[in-house]
Amino acid sequence: MAHSSMQTVAKEFPVETGVDRKDRRELAKMLTQIVGSSHVLYAKIRGVHWNVVGPAFYSLHKMTEEQYEDLNTAIDDMAERIRAIGFSAPTGLNDMMENSVISDQTELLATNDMVTDLIEDHEKMARLIRDGVTAAEEVEDVKTADLLTERIGVHEEAIWMLRATAS
Ligand SMILES: [Fe+2]
């Protein structure tokens, strides 16, 4: 059929690499939460990048750019990991937001408050991802555990840099 390739959907496919289906399914859900949360955080960090004012303008403007660029890459890697373990990745913004532990920023805050919020969000991300590493290690999905372990360090470093700049 001429249209068959256009009509195919990212259905679940079999993955016989040593992690049971039910475990991969749970990991896919966990990764979807992390991807959704990362995406909301990505948007919030850009909001800070654009709206930051005051004496720390330049360093915060630059730092937030590094953070959202890193998140952009990480979101892609983690969403593609969902596919590699057999399941479908988020389809759009609503899907991201519904799966996010990070709440959207709907009002403009003072720079200090934006930075404080960002620190709390990075802390939330680190805790969420740490639970993800534990879940991945329990079922011996070493690749997912490895990918996520790296991310904990990135969020912890972001917290340190934001604190050091704000103080
Ligand atoms: Fe920019």
Side-chain angles (χ1 to χ4, degrees), residues 57-162:
F57 168 81
Y58 192 71
S59 50
L60 284 170
H61 185 69
K62 280 282 170 201
M63 188 190 302
T64 46
E65 182 171 337
E66 283 169 17
Q67 288 185 12
Y68 74 65
E69 283 181 344
D70 162 76
L71 269 176
N72 184 36
T73 306
I75 288 164
D76 195 47
D77 291 345
M78 295 185 293
E80 287 171 1
R81 184 65 194 154
I82 301 173
R83 299 292 297 128
I85 62 172
F87 295 88
S88 54
T91 55
L93 271 187
N94 199 54
D95 209 359
M96 299 282 196
M97 290 181 73
E98 278 180 358
N99 284 291
S100 177
V101 303
I102 304 294
S103 48
D104 192 20
Q105 185 60 43
T106 54
E107 57 178 320
L108 181 60
L109 300 177
T111 293
N112 280 354
D113 295 334
M114 289 195 293
V115 171
T116 305
D117 271 9
L118 218 49
I119 290 168
E120 284 174 10
D121 286 343
H122 278 294
E123 287 170 342
K124 266 186 211 161
M125 288 301 309
R127 292 196 297 268
L128 176 67
I129 296 172
R130 195 179 301 282
D131 289 344
V133 171
T134 304
E137 280 174 345
E138 269 170 16
V139 299
E140 296 180 349
D141 183 345
V142 291
K143 175 59 190 173
T144 298
D146 184 57
L147 182 64
L148 295 181
T149 299
E150 165 74 19
R151 297 305 307 161
I152 296 174
V154 173
H155 287 289
E156 287 174 339
E157 186 171 284
I159 293 162
W160 157 49
M161 288 190 175
L162 285 167

